[in-house]
């Protein structure tokens, strides 16, 4: 991954943490493996667009949300994990 992958990964991690989700919970919600999510968050690997899309859908945000100026500085709304079905 390059600078964009690192920026995307950091923003996705921040979003996940703002929603109070663990990697395991995000994995269940997205259908993406924990190791793959970890690589995505760390910008360590180029991933398929479909993997990124599944992750964004589970986090209820768009690519614009996570890559917008200031997104990693805290402009994403803190929503908590309410409304997520973590059991299903």
């Amino acid at each position: 991954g390059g600078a964009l992958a690192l920026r995307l990964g950091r923003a996705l991690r921040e979003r996940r943490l703002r929603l109070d989700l663990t990697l395991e919970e995000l994995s269940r919600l997205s259908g993406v493996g924990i190791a793959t999510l970890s690589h995505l968050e760390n910008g360590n690997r180029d991933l398929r667009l479909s993997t990124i899309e599944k992750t964004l859908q589970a986090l209820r945000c768009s690519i614009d949300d996570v890559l917008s100026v200031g997104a990693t500085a805290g402009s994403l709304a803190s929503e908590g994990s309410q409304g997520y079905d973590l059991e299903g």
Side-chain angles (χ1 to χ4, degrees):
L4 180 60
L6 187 57
R7 182 175 168 199
L8 175 63
R10 286 178 179 168
L12 290 174
R13 178 185 293 124
E14 180 175 316
R15 176 72 174 183
R16 176 178 62 80
L17 293 174
R18 284 178 172 272
L19 294 172
D20 199 29
L21 295 171
T22 65
L23 278 174
E24 182 179 346
E25 291 166 335
L26 180 55
S27 177
R28 281 193 307 227
L29 289 167
S30 67
V32 176
I34 294 171
T36 301
L37 290 170
S38 179
H39 285 295
L40 176 60
E41 286 189 353
N42 289 303
N44 290 339
R45 180 189 312 172
D46 291 331
L47 297 172
R48 293 180 176 186
L49 184 56
S50 61
T51 300
I52 296 168
E53 288 175 334
K54 288 178 188 178
T55 306
L56 290 168
Q57 287 175 346
L59 292 172
R60 298 181 181 176
C61 63
S62 71
I63 192 76
D64 292 332
D65 292 334
V66 296
L67 292 181
S68 66
V69 175
T72 58
S75 65
L76 294 173
S78 178
E79 298 173 11
S81 59
Q82 298 159 350
Y84 283 96
D85 178 12
L86 298 177
E87 299 300 319

